[in-house]
Amino acid sequence: MITQPDRPAGRGRAVTPSAVKQRALAAAVPVLQPPRLRDAGWPERLAEYRADVAVVAAFGQILPKAVLDVPAHGSINVHGSLLPRYRGAAPIAWAIMRGETETGITTFQMDPGMDTGDMLLTEAIPIGSDETAGELSARLAEIGARLLLRTLEGVATLPRSPQDHAQATLAPRLKKEDGWLRPAEPARELVNRVRGCNPWPGAALLTPAGRLLIWRATALAAPGVIAPAGTLIPSPVPLSPQGRGQGEGPLAVTTGDGLFLPLEVQPENRKAMRWAEFLRGARLAAGARVGEPAP
């Protein structure tokens, strides 16, 4: 088994082996941890194992053809999107942030490009309207494991389907600034960013009480609202079954289109809490302004 070198992790930044290394050691499987598989000598070293096929998942390096072609049936990758869409390191997060309603798993024969090889098997699933990247990742992991087993069973006979490169989209590695919320954007897009950045890096707003992470949110219609984007205003309460008029609901954020209503938030250096609890503690009222965090 080949995995990345041990790296610092956690608050103490202690050097920690990857989860796959820990499982491999527990099963008495030999482990290799090359800093870079592109370095000279690694194709020859890997050839000593005489592997039928290699499986690559979330390895984090672009592998050269000399390494990919070592096994008799080459190298197979399990990718969290319906290729050729969302090639790259964060396909699940970007699919959610861009408002997709469907995604899936693709297994494919690797080549030296970034997720560009011939496809083997795919399976599509719908994305829940409130589903976060973490929740969707958990569902796709189960599908990916099942699809990988089917791929390995048929690796010698499965047809290879070339990707349509003209339809490709990219899903680059997430950065902290990808979670910044810009109230001038439509509320639905802000909610999608919250979902896609949960659990990392977290979506953030700058409030009068400091930087605030938003873990859950929803979008509301805001007919007739004229307040500048980023203003806290009472959200409308729909008509009751008895036909009574609208009242005032919880404070929401005006946006470029609609209202953005946080549900679960986390102030700096504190635990996650409900939005109403944060507003009480921060003493924020209608008319307060929020915006994009500073770099």
Side-chain angles (χ1 to χ4, degrees), residues 254-275:
T254 58
T255 72
D257 182 15
L259 294 178
F260 174 77
L261 177 61
L263 300 174
E264 183 182 356
V265 302
Q266 185 173 4
E268 289 185 287
N269 303 315
R270 298 181 63 185
K271 294 181 179 181
M273 62 184 65
R274 296 194 62 78
W275 170 240

Side-chain angles (χ1 to χ4, degrees), residues 147-244:
L147 212 62
L148 174 60
L149 291 177
R150 286 178 52 201
T151 301
L152 292 175
E153 289 171 356
V155 68
T157 57
L158 282 172
R160 272 63 172 161
S161 301
Q163 296 187 39
D164 181 354
H165 301 305
Q167 299 299 316
T169 60
L170 298 181
R173 188 179 304 277
L174 288 178
K175 306 180 295 295
K176 283 192 174 181
E177 51 265 38
D178 289 321
W180 293 350
L181 296 174
R182 300 169 176 85
E185 296 177 355
R188 184 67 248 178
E189 292 183 14
L190 297 179
V191 171
N192 290 343
R193 189 165 296 272
V194 169
R195 295 165 54 218
C197 290
N198 182 349
W200 197 90
L205 276 174
L206 186 63
T207 78
R211 185 183 179 94
L212 184 70
L213 290 177
I214 316 293
W215 294 118
R216 303 272 180 177
T218 192
L220 304 173
V225 171
I226 58 174
T231 305
L232 294 182
I233 67 169
S235 58
V237 175
L239 286 171
S240 70
Q242 292 76 27
R244 297 192 182 97

Side-chain angles (χ1 to χ4, degrees), residues 107-148:
T107 59
F108 67 95
Q109 191 85 46
M110 296 182 70
D111 63 18
M114 173 68 78
D115 304 327
T116 55
D118 291 349
M119 297 180 293
L120 297 168
L121 293 175
T122 64
E123 183 171 332
I125 61 169
I127 301 174
S129 60
D130 298 319
E131 197 167 24
T132 68
E135 292 163 347
L136 181 56
S137 295
R139 285 207 295 141
L140 287 174
E142 295 184 4
I143 296 170
R146 172 164 43 80
L147 212 62
L148 174 60

